[in-house]
Amino acid sequence: MITSILPTYNRVSISFERGEGSWLISSDGQRYLDLAAGIAVNALGHANPALIAVLTEQAGRVWHLSNLYQIPEQQKLADLLVEHTFADTVFFTNSGTEACELAVKMARKYWYDRVRPDRTRILTFEGSFHGRSSAGIAAAGSEKMTKGFGPLLPGFTQLKWGDHEALTNAIREGDVGAVMVEPVQGEGGIRPLPDACLKGLRDLCDETGVLMILDEVQCGMGRTGRLFAHEWAGITPDIMMVAKGIGGGFPLGAVLATENAASGMTAGTHGSTYGGNPLGCAVGAKVVEIIADPAFLSEVNRKAALFRQGLESLVASHPDVFEAVRGSGLMLGLKCKASNTDVVKACYGAHVLTVPAADNVIRLLPALNITDGDLSEALIRLDRAALAVSGALAPA
Ligand SMILES: *Cc1c(COP(=O)(O)O)cnc(C)c1O
């Protein structure tokens, strides 16, 4: 039987009515420690006073303006992003998948304008996630997302994660226009691309002229302890997709690009009704101001080290449940020995929210401003969940 909400999601039967920092309060008054943060969206926690202040102030002035006009809040956010990153220019979207759409169009138009319309192919990687639009599912290519939705947008080739030789060969094939990669795969199971690989990929792109598109929708905005994850490798992309954390909970995304990569995107070549609206951009500018502060990022790194240490001992004390800690900064994964969905379920029982990912991993993506006290509490609750899973695993 059909439900009034299209039944595309598997939901648990918990309903939240309020949030405070790293806590969510359910409608029956239970408090849950939130290590999911709306899947890396609530980067500054729930009901953040600084964000409420800008949101309500802007809401009292103007919510939406067409891109027919100058939008000062959009200009401010663009200038901030340009100031803090490799980018020369920014386009605003409302989601990560829309950022993927533009990244693909930008790369195609770049080569079209260079009279190389044959260079349409975009290399991507197995285990990736680039959103649920037609371009996003074709880019990631996994059967789980594409089955039944053909014909798919052509021009994507998925390579094995970590297969240098396949990449080196494919990128030199002449018809490749761009390569799209997450510096840390999120949905794919918190799989970081080693810095050396990202550097090697940058070198290959420089050698061949192929555009490097980084999808930092999940791993960007301070998540790994730098404003953007690629900074750890000391490289810069040509095009970057951003969303999730940048709005702190308000739907907001962006494509950042160099002047060269963006050169095809002239007036009339792309647009969005809601993209860059004053409400979203006012909030986004506040989020960027807070997260780009070196003092804030060094706190993220300090907490990440603390949390990771605790997680390592958690894994060591539950070898039947967990296998390893992986990830970077506060984008952490626990590779499970038990079924990750059982572990996530036990976490609900211990009133701590986690997110399953591919590769039998549970994701821990706390708010970047989570307190030390809440991190200690998280370890206690994860331990409780692990004990519940071990208990269920043990022969009666
Ligand atoms: C979530 C995500 C997307 C898609 O973003 P939406 O806002 O859901 O459209 C794209 N890429 C990555 C890496 C993501 O984590």
Side-chain angles (χ1 to χ4, degrees):
M1 199 179 63
I2 195 67
T3 44
S4 60
I5 295 175
L6 191 72
T8 58
Y9 299 106
N10 286 311
R11 298 175 197 269
V12 285
S13 56
I14 311 172
S15 147
F16 295 111
E17 59 174 32
R18 204 157 48 83
E20 294 168 1
S22 290
W23 294 85
L24 277 170
I25 296 100
S26 63
S27 29
D28 57 352
Q30 306 284 316
R31 290 171 65 84
Y32 288 78
L33 184 49
D34 187 6
L35 304 183
I39 315 189
V41 167
N42 302 103
L44 297 175
H46 300 283
N48 183 297
L51 300 188
I52 292 174
V54 278
L55 181 83
T56 51
E57 194 278 331
Q58 185 63 43
R61 284 195 292 126
V62 62
W63 296 18
H64 174 76
L65 286 170
S66 166
N67 283 301
L68 289 167
Y69 314 111
Q70 305 292 321
I71 302 177
E73 296 78 13
Q74 187 182 130
Q75 186 65 56
K76 179 178 170 186
L77 178 54
D79 290 343
L80 268 172
L81 289 169
V82 166
E83 177 193 335
H84 287 291
T85 68
F86 72 96
D88 301 312
T89 187
V90 184
F91 182 94
F92 293 105
T93 66
N94 312 287
S95 67
T97 202
E98 287 167 88
C100 176
E101 289 291 325
L102 174 54
V104 168
K105 285 177 69 177
M106 189 180 276
R108 297 249 164 101
K109 186 65 163 41
Y110 175 91
W111 288 111
Y112 176 87
D113 286 355
R114 275 158 188 73
V115 207
R116 285 298 304 274
D118 56 313
R119 291 187 73 162
T120 54
R121 199 145 64 95
I122 298 177
L123 302 179
T124 60
F125 294 88
E126 286 176 11
S128 303
F129 184 76
H130 300 299
R132 298 296 197 132
S133 65
S134 292
I137 63 173
S142 84
E143 188 176 297
K144 198 175 133 209
M145 286 186 282
T146 57
K147 197 176 177 197
F149 296 110
L152 296 179
L153 184 67
F156 295 94
T157 302
Q158 290 81 29
L159 303 171
K160 267 216 159 54
W161 187 250
D163 187 342
H164 284 245
E165 202 180 304
L167 171 65
T168 310
N169 293 332
I171 208 167
R172 294 186 174 135
E173 271 163 22
D175 62 341
V176 175
V179 52
M180 179 184 284
V181 63
E182 293 164 82
V184 184
Q185 283 190 347
E187 307 296 311
I190 311 290
R191 295 198 296 175
L193 198 63
D195 289 349
C197 295
L198 213 47
K199 275 198 196 113
L201 180 57
R202 180 69 265 179
D203 289 341
L204 282 171
C205 287
D206 290 340
E207 173 199 316
T208 54
V210 165
L211 296 172
M212 179 191 250
I213 304 172
L214 294 183
D215 182 344
E216 293 226 18
V217 169
Q218 195 162 151
C219 64
M221 287 308 299
R223 187 53 49 195
T224 67
R226 301 291 286 265
L227 186 54
F228 289 102
H230 66 263
E231 295 171 25
W232 289 111
I235 57 110
T236 58
D238 301 290
I239 299 171
M240 178 167 73
M241 298 144 59
V242 180
K244 293 205 165 96
I246 191 172
F250 196 96
L252 177 62
V255 173
L256 280 63
T258 62
E259 181 178 9
N260 178 50
S263 58
M265 303 309 294
T266 51
T269 55
H270 195 62
S272 167
T273 297
Y274 290 123
N277 65 82
L279 212 44
C281 288
V283 175
K286 192 52 162 185
V287 171
V288 173
E289 273 171 11
I290 293 172
I291 295 180
D293 180 347
F296 181 90
L297 288 170
S298 86
E299 271 296 280
V300 172
N301 286 304
R302 185 188 61 77
K303 286 176 205 173
L306 200 71
F307 194 36
R308 189 168 188 124
Q309 201 174 28
L311 291 172
E312 297 285 1
S313 12
L314 177 83
V315 167
S317 51
H318 298 283
D320 50 337
V321 179
F322 301 117
E323 210 172 290
V325 185
R326 49 164 88 157
S328 166
L330 288 175
M331 184 170 185
L332 293 164
L334 295 176
K335 168 84 173 162
C336 297
K337 242 183 224 151
S339 136
N340 64 339
T341 50
D342 287 348
V343 177
V344 169
K345 233 179 264 169
C347 287
Y348 286 127
H351 286 196
V352 57
L353 305 177
T354 60
V355 191
D359 207 20
N360 205 34
V361 162
I362 70 166
R363 271 179 282 180
L364 310 173
L365 307 162
L368 303 179
N369 60 357
I370 189 169
T371 63
D372 289 11
D374 287 347
L375 282 177
S376 310
E377 185 61 34
L379 291 166
I380 293 169
R381 290 178 186 226
L382 289 169
D383 185 64
R384 211 173 287 155
L387 282 171
V389 174
S390 313
L393 287 175

